[in-house]
Amino acid sequence: MPRYLSMVRIDENNAPAEGPSDELMQRMGELIEEMTKAGVMLDTAGLTPTSQGTRVRWEKGELTVTDGPFTESKEVVGGYAIIQAKDKAEAIEWTKRFLKIHEEHWTVTSEVREIAEG
């Protein structure tokens, strides 16, 4: 079965300062448990803020290293999931379920892409 990477994007500037609520974390845990039992969830995690990240760039034969935060970034990857599904449609359905558990004040986007094998 193909594997898919679901990159969860958030706008760090408009995300709740206190982070996810306890209720949201509980709903996430329940959905992740369901997906794991169904054999769909292979791995998932949230990421630390860009202020704690480092960007390494190769351009025109030169390497640059820049510590965060990255002011030019509006939407950043805040987490990911690696999903094993029968097809892209199924991976998208699981991703929709994940997005729908967020409260209305969240703006969350997920990009789903198949992982190239071989």
Side-chain angles (χ1 to χ4, degrees), residues 9-10 13 15-16 25 27 29 35 51 57 62 64 95 105 116:
R9 298 180 182 273
I10 62 169
N13 299 320
M25 293 304 293
R27 288 191 301 273
M35 292 174 75
S51 61
R57 181 181 176 108
E62 292 197 29
T64 57
T95 299
H105 60 268

Side-chain angles (χ1 to χ4, degrees), residues 13 26 39 56 64 70 76 83 92:
N13 299 320
Q26 181 177 341
V56 182
T64 57
F70 312 114
V76 300
I83 299 169
I92 290 170

Side-chain angles (χ1 to χ4, degrees), residues 18-115:
E18 67 279 1
S21 66
D22 292 340
E23 294 82 9
L24 175 55
M25 293 304 293
Q26 181 177 341
R27 288 191 301 273
M28 277 188 206
E30 291 168 357
L31 181 59
I32 290 168
E33 183 178 342
E34 179 184 347
M35 292 174 75
T36 301
K37 286 180 179 176
V40 174
M41 181 66 71
L42 300 180
D43 189 25
T44 187
L47 302 175
T48 59
T50 59
S51 61
Q52 298 174 26
T54 301
R55 199 174 271 168
V56 182
R57 181 181 176 108
W58 175 257
E59 182 179 16
K60 298 180 183 174
E62 292 197 29
L63 248 168
T64 57
V65 178
T66 308
D67 289 330
F70 312 114
T71 55
E72 69 276 5
S73 295
K74 178 175 166 75
E75 198 175 66
V76 300
V77 178
Y80 71 93
I82 297 177
I83 299 169
Q84 183 170 294
K86 65 182 179 200
D87 55 27
K88 189 174 183 181
E90 181 185 16
I92 290 170
E93 286 307 312
W94 284 108
T95 299
K96 286 179 182 178
R97 287 189 59 191
F98 174 77
L99 295 181
K100 286 180 180 180
I101 65 173
H102 290 75
E103 294 95 352
E104 289 184 11
H105 60 268
W106 282 90
T107 300
V108 186
T109 303
S110 189
E111 181 179 336
V112 178
R113 295 172 57 187
E114 186 171 351
I115 297 172

